[in-house]
Amino acid sequence: MDDFFGGILFSLILVISYAVTAKGQNVTDSPSSSCDYPAIYNFGDSNSDTGGIAAAFFPMAAPCGETYFHRPVGRASDGRLIVDFIADDLGLPFLSPYLDSVGTNFQHGANFATGGATIRRPNESWFQTGVSPFPLDIQVEHYTQFKERSAYFYNQDKVESNKSRLPRPEDFSKALYTFDIGQNDLAAGFQKMSMEELRATIPDIIDQYATQLQGMYDRGARVFWIHNTGPIGCLPVSTVKVQNPVPGYLDEHGCIKSQNDIAKEFNKQLKEKLVQLREELSDAAITYVDMYSAKYGLISNAKKHGFEEPSKICCGIHGVDNDVWCGNKATVNGTEVYGGSCAKPSAIISWDGVHYTEGANRWIASHLVNGSLSDPPVPTTRACHRQI
Ligand SMILES: *[C@@H]1O[C@H](CO)[C@@H](O)[C@H](O)[C@H]1NC(C)=O
Ligand SMILES: *[C@@H]1O[C@H](CO)[C@@H](O)[C@H](O)[C@H]1NC(C)=O
Ligand SMILES: *[C@@H]1O[C@H](CO)[C@@H](O)[C@H](O)[C@H]1NC(C)=O
Ligand SMILES: *[C@@H]1O[C@H](CO)[C@@H](O)[C@H](O)[C@H]1NC(C)=O
Ligand SMILES: *[C@@H]1O[C@H](CO)[C@@H](O)[C@H](O)[C@H]1NC(C)=O
């Protein structure tokens, strides 16, 4: 019975949702057609940074990149990230980081994400805490400059423009805008305040997020694909430090429950805010994507999906009171040790205790792109059709 009505509801949502297409996209297209994005513009943190923070500061150390790129390419993983798989699924190339000055091609988009980025402006410096000096509002500022300056140079360069490494100015309004940020606002909060204090700051974090989304709309973005935040309490770098937990501190899969509860509260408020934004931004197609469920679904059923124990870390050595980060050396118990990688990264979910392996990212992306975890339930390829 439930399934039957669920099915009807699902179809209804699909039918209604196809009534309008976000402006900039081809409104004469049939609603079920593919959106044909010419470009992707991504904003976020290390979960989707394809080399921004590495270009701004220091390159990523080997063995990062070993599985797919066979060299470090600024991604905190052994290979591709979720945003790479999304680009691939849309038939678009991997995104060059805006901050990279060498070897870039922005014809089909750019990546403004930087590892350590937050939604709110941080008070600490990168040198002290590793938090990115390029929070979301600065990423939006980078986008603004990118859009204006690339249009200027593209137009100057018309003859050469089919060889241009810059996007066509008319493509900005038809592009897909992807967002994956918030995890570091929560992580910073865990270190600085009580759970109650952190919980009380979530509305402000979400408001600042919405302000930037609105800003992107004002700058012509129309199709928004917004990942919620993952189960931060499951990150092995934290769970490995838990000793003799009181009953209920960890959930049945070994994740820190209070941290995941904060992530869920963030996600709940984000989802509500997006409902409101859909009404306010009359030409926008906004999709909320439940990244949390994808990641938690993998972690809670790791074996079934072909992965080992989800608390395992592939690269680096992390104990109760020592952290030898992936690719680094350190002295532990009087001996110099190297935080190298595991024999079979494809069998492990966590690459370095915080970030996911390429294998996990592939699994997660495959569950995101078909829309089964989206609200509304549209795949990436059809996310340009505005909901009513
Ligand atoms: C929209 O689609 C129609 C039919 O496929 C095509 O003829 C037209 O050129 C498209 N318009 C734009 C602006 O892409
Ligand atoms: C930074 O410090 C100011 C002043 O103490 C405070 O209001 C603000 O919330 C802090 N920002 C973050 C991200 O913690
Ligand atoms: C532009 O593309 C056309 C068709 O592919 C090609 O013939 C022409 O040489 C290109 N022009 C430049 C300047 O690259
Ligand atoms: C260091 O010593 C402690 C206590 O003997 C042990 O539990 C831990 O595994 C050792 N760490 C490494 C990296 O060998
Ligand atoms: C989406 O893809 C995943 C992974 O391939 C699959 O398990 C799931 O059934 C798909 N859902 C839909 C609605 O197609």
Side-chain angles (χ1 to χ4, degrees):
M1 214 44 180
D2 276 359
D3 277 345
F4 175 67
F5 285 113
I8 288 186
L9 213 63
F10 185 79
S11 321
L12 272 180
I13 291 166
L14 287 183
V15 168
I16 293 168
S17 72
Y18 289 152
V20 188
T21 298
K23 286 213 180 97
Q25 283 285 338
N26 193 334
V27 280
T28 64
D29 276 345
S30 85
S32 58
S33 68
S34 246
C35 298
D36 210 9
Y37 310 108
I40 300 173
Y41 293 98
N42 181 68
F43 300 78
D45 55 29
S46 56
N47 287 305
S48 63
D49 181 356
T50 54
I53 206 74
F57 291 101
F58 300 104
M60 213 67 86
C64 283
E66 64 175 4
T67 298
Y68 183 80
F69 301 98
H70 309 296
R71 64 193 175 92
V73 290
R75 287 165 174 77
S77 182
D78 58 313
R80 289 163 285 183
L81 306 182
I82 291 162
V83 68
D84 294 317
F85 288 109
I86 289 176
D88 211 35
D89 188 62
L90 295 172
L92 293 170
F94 299 151
L95 299 182
S96 288
Y98 168 72
L99 292 171
D100 207 343
S101 49
V102 179
T104 49
N105 186 333
F106 298 117
Q107 211 172 23
H108 298 287
N111 195 352
F112 299 90
T114 55
T118 46
I119 292 167
R120 300 202 299 177
R121 284 205 179 174
N123 288 325
E124 305 82 8
S125 98
W126 180 86
F127 293 98
Q128 289 154 359
T129 58
V131 64
S132 171
F134 312 109
L136 185 57
D137 69 306
I138 299 298
Q139 294 181 23
V140 169
E141 184 58 33
H142 285 173
Y143 168 80
T144 307
Q145 284 204 43
F146 176 82
K147 189 179 175 197
E148 285 168 9
R149 298 183 67 216
S150 66
Y152 174 81
F153 286 109
Y154 185 92
N155 288 328
Q156 264 204 341
D157 216 20
K158 269 208 174 89
V159 187
E160 290 285 309
S161 57
N162 60 352
K163 284 202 302 198
S164 178
R165 290 176 162 243
L166 296 173
R168 296 188 303 172
E170 63 267 32
D171 284 349
F172 283 100
S173 64
K174 299 178 195 153
L176 176 69
Y177 290 81
T178 55
F179 295 81
D180 190 330
I181 195 160
Q183 180 171 319
N184 292 320
D185 294 86
L186 304 185
F190 294 151
Q191 298 183 352
K192 285 192 298 205
M193 41 185 127
S194 71
M195 288 295 181
E196 292 74 56
E197 286 167 339
L198 178 53
R199 189 175 287 264
T201 69
I202 293 177
D204 182 51
I205 299 172
I206 297 292
D207 278 348
Q208 296 203 26
Y209 199 168
T211 300
Q212 297 311 321
L213 294 171
Q214 164 92 54
M216 287 301 301
Y217 181 83
D218 296 341
R219 290 163 178 78
R222 287 296 175 267
V223 187
F224 295 82
W225 178 265
I226 300 169
H227 293 167
N228 70 7
T229 198
I232 189 171
C234 300
L235 299 183
V237 75
S238 308
T239 59
V240 74
K241 304 212 182 311
V242 177
Q243 282 181 300
N244 310 317
V246 294
Y249 184 72
L250 298 177
D251 72 10
E252 70 211 278
H253 302 294
C255 304
I256 300 169
K257 210 170 161 302
S258 56
Q259 294 190 354
N260 279 352
D261 286 344
I262 289 284
K264 284 192 233 173
E265 180 60 27
F266 173 92
N267 290 341
K268 177 171 163 272
Q269 293 188 30
L270 175 62
K271 191 172 181 182
E272 286 163 6
K273 182 62 79 177
L274 295 185
V275 170
Q276 192 188 322
L277 276 181
R278 267 183 214 117
E279 281 171 22
E280 291 169 11
L281 310 181
S282 55
D283 289 338
I286 300 176
T287 309
Y288 168 87
V289 185
D290 192 359
M291 171 71 75
Y292 184 104
S293 291
K295 288 181 172 172
Y296 196 76
L298 175 60
I299 288 163
S300 59
N301 248 318
K303 292 240 163 66
K304 185 181 149 210
H305 301 309
F307 291 87
E308 293 177 24
E309 195 46 46
S311 61
K312 281 193 181 168
I313 297 173
C314 178
C315 186
I317 303 164
H318 297 272
V320 171
D321 45 30
N322 64 279
D323 288 294
V324 185
W325 289 95
C326 179
N328 290 347
K329 283 182 190 146
T331 304
V332 179
N333 296 345
T335 315
E336 180 162 276
V337 292
Y338 171 65
S341 69
C342 59
K344 204 179 167 207
S346 63
I348 307 292
I349 292 174
S350 185
W351 167 241
D352 59 4
V354 175
H355 307 100
Y356 291 72
T357 57
E358 162 163 312
N361 285 332
R362 178 192 289 107
W363 189 95
I364 294 160
S366 76
H367 284 75
L368 299 183
V369 295
N370 68 8
S372 55
L373 296 172
S374 301
D375 173 45
V378 290
T380 330
T381 49
R382 284 188 272 121
C384 63
H385 302 290
R386 182 179 153 76
Q387 315 308 309
I388 301 176

